[in-house]
Amino acid sequence: MIRDQEMMTAFLDTVSSFVREDLIPSEEAVSEADAIPEPIVKKMRDIGLFGLTVPEEFGGLGLTMEEESLVMIELCKASPVFRSLIGTTVGIGSQGILMDGTDEQKADWLPRLATGEVIASFALTEPGSGSDAASIRTSAVRDGDDYVINGTKRFITNAPHAGVFTLMARTNPEDKGAGGISAFIVDAKTPGISLGKNDKKMGQRGAHTCDVIFEDCRVPASNIIGLKEGRGFKTAMKVLDKGRIHIGAVCVGVAERMLDDALNYAIERKQFGQRIADFQLVQAMLADSKAEIYAAKCMVLDAARRRDNGEDISTEAACCKMYASEMCGRVADRAVQIFGGAGYMAEYGIERLYRDVRLFRIYEGTTQIQQIVIARNMVRAATA
């Protein structure tokens, strides 16, 4: 649902210029240094990228899901590392507070998240709990007006930069399932929080993840999202449903970038006295990629519009995440193939994107988890 087409077009033009003039020229340096320069971070704040999904009353842009998807497609024509810096604030870090938080919690945190003054991080995954999120072991034990939290969270995106964690912990040890989990807003400066060393990853250098360790960390009871125990898992699932459409849009944007690079290379590169873009087998790879990107984009925008209309989009969101992430991997593989030997060399950058996008099929619900979600929803609907 685009509320003002003229304003949306102007904002997308701003993002496109930022991508073209600032982000793409910085990609190699960011990868080499494993860090995004502060002037770029400041410009991201100034443009309003940290506040895309925060309502205007709290200082954000309050974009609809469709508008957010279009911005992600445009932004992710640059390395997905840049999107990662804002992603946990725009998505899983802030949306739990927005969806289920109290008025006081929203007023306290959302304005600071919208400006990028505070970066949010989502602490769900654990060493023994990834796809099976309901099996988390981090405990939150009530002690007077506080909860005492103990446990370790793993692969937490932006943890080294976070000012606040949306933390999932078990408040009811008797309930071993989802009903025993509560969501907490935890200030990153709270005593008892320590960080592990930054993870060394296959790709996305410049985006940082690490362990977050909670040792007798005391958090006020007033920091439970919505002030009610046992609702944390439901909050997480609502946030992840929205996030799956978001990631689908991210995959579309990066895939469009890789296809553009491959097409330009195919037009410039000559073999046997002609452009390789004129070879039918190369054309087939270009055409397959174009069709799959188009299909994924249609899926993402359809699911986004359905969500904006208030529909239950659990199945559609899972379809978007599953198809778009797998599509992005196929496009990356074809792009490297079109580049040939050059595609294997760091000089051309396509090998970096090839490594960067491999993560999309894993985080925020693997392809296999999406298949389970889709099928279970189908069976439930057919037997209701």
Side-chain angles (χ1 to χ4, degrees):
M1 183 186 301
I2 298 176
R3 298 161 300 174
D4 187 319
Q5 187 63 63
E6 186 176 347
M7 289 184 63
M8 192 64 207
T9 299
F11 186 65
L12 289 173
D13 287 344
T14 298
V15 174
S16 180
S17 296
F18 180 50
V19 165
R20 186 173 59 253
E21 297 168 10
D22 295 271
L23 299 188
I24 291 177
S26 302
E27 288 176 340
E28 185 176 352
V30 167
S31 182
E32 289 293 326
D34 192 21
I36 299 174
E38 185 54 38
I40 286 181
V41 179
K42 182 181 184 301
K43 196 161 185 179
M44 294 172 88
R45 292 191 183 103
D46 293 343
I47 291 173
L49 293 177
F50 284 92
L52 294 178
T53 58
V54 175
E56 294 178 73
E57 63 187 286
F58 298 109
L61 298 180
L63 299 189
T64 66
M65 191 72 244
E66 181 180 356
E67 292 167 342
E68 178 186 344
S69 297
L70 291 171
V71 172
M72 286 306 105
I73 291 170
E74 202 60 45
L75 180 65
C76 290
K77 291 177 182 175
S79 167
V81 168
F82 299 109
R83 195 285 321 180
S84 186
L85 182 65
I86 68 165
T88 51
T89 299
V90 166
I92 53 183
S94 66
Q95 293 303 289
I97 299 172
L98 178 60
M99 291 176 182
D100 290 338
T102 65
D103 290 343
E104 292 77 10
Q105 290 167 346
K106 294 175 187 177
D108 187 17
W109 288 104
L110 292 181
R112 288 182 284 168
L113 294 173
T115 61
E117 172 192 345
V118 173
I119 291 177
S121 201
F122 186 66
L124 173 64
T125 301
E126 297 182 359
S129 172
S131 295
D132 183 12
S135 69
I136 66 172
R137 299 180 64 181
T138 295
S139 63
V141 179
R142 185 70 183 252
D143 182 24
D145 292 333
D146 296 332
Y147 282 85
V148 179
I149 298 175
N150 284 281
T152 298
K153 297 295 184 178
R154 179 145 293 173
F155 308 140
I156 305 305
T157 303
N158 285 330
H161 315 292
V164 63
F165 294 101
T166 299
L167 169 72
M168 300 296 154
R170 191 168 298 282
T171 49
N172 183 359
E174 302 303 317
D175 187 340
K176 304 299 183 183
I181 298 170
S182 300
F184 292 84
I185 304 168
V186 182
D187 191 314
K189 297 188 295 292
T190 305
I193 299 177
S194 59
L195 303 179
K197 63 181 180 180
N198 284 5
D199 298 315
K200 292 184 178 180
K201 309 185 300 299
M202 176 189 291
Q204 298 209 21
R205 287 178 55 82
H208 302 136
T209 67
C210 69
D211 285 3
V212 183
I213 302 99
F214 298 85
E215 297 178 292
D216 294 329
C217 176
R218 301 186 73 90
V219 175
S222 58
N223 281 29
I224 284 188
I225 292 180
L227 301 182
K228 292 183 180 180
E229 286 190 3
R231 295 191 174 184
F233 190 76
K234 289 182 179 179
T235 295
M237 292 305 102
K238 285 192 290 185
V239 169
L240 288 172
D241 270 351
K242 183 177 187 294
R244 286 166 181 163
I245 301 175
H246 175 105
I247 293 298
V250 169
C251 292
V252 170
V254 184
E256 286 186 343
R257 159 68 183 283
M258 292 188 293
L259 180 57
D260 284 345
D261 287 354
L263 174 61
N264 290 332
Y265 183 83
I267 291 170
E268 295 170 2
R269 175 68 167 162
K270 291 186 177 181
Q271 287 287 281
F272 304 102
Q274 59 181 308
R275 304 177 305 180
I276 66 171
D278 295 324
F279 297 157
Q280 288 182 333
L281 292 178
V282 171
Q283 291 175 347
M285 290 189 283
L286 293 170
D288 285 349
S289 295
K290 181 68 173 181
E292 290 191 44
I293 292 170
Y294 178 51
K297 188 172 186 178
C298 290
M299 289 175 67
V300 167
L301 294 179
D302 176 71
R305 289 165 186 155
R306 288 174 182 270
R307 187 182 187 279
D308 288 338
N309 288 334
E311 297 179 33
D312 179 356
I313 46 79
S314 175
T315 300
E316 288 77 8
C319 287
C320 287
K321 171 62 167 63
M322 180 184 73
Y323 182 80
S325 62
E326 292 287 339
M327 171 278 296
C328 194
R330 290 190 293 270
V331 171
D333 190 70
R334 294 186 196 113
V336 171
Q337 195 71 12
I338 290 169
F339 271 81
Y344 201 71
M345 304 299 161
E347 175 185 354
Y348 286 86
I350 198 69
E351 63 83 29
R352 184 185 65 247
L353 290 171
Y354 179 87
R355 289 183 287 108
D356 287 347
V357 304
R358 185 60 184 85
L359 181 60
F360 295 153
R361 287 178 271 172
I362 298 172
Y363 71 173
E364 295 199 33
T366 63
T367 292
Q368 289 68 39
I369 287 296
Q370 307 309 326
Q371 290 171 321
I372 290 170
V373 169
I374 294 164
R376 285 181 177 173
N377 286 353
M378 291 170 64
V379 171
R380 188 179 299 116
T383 57

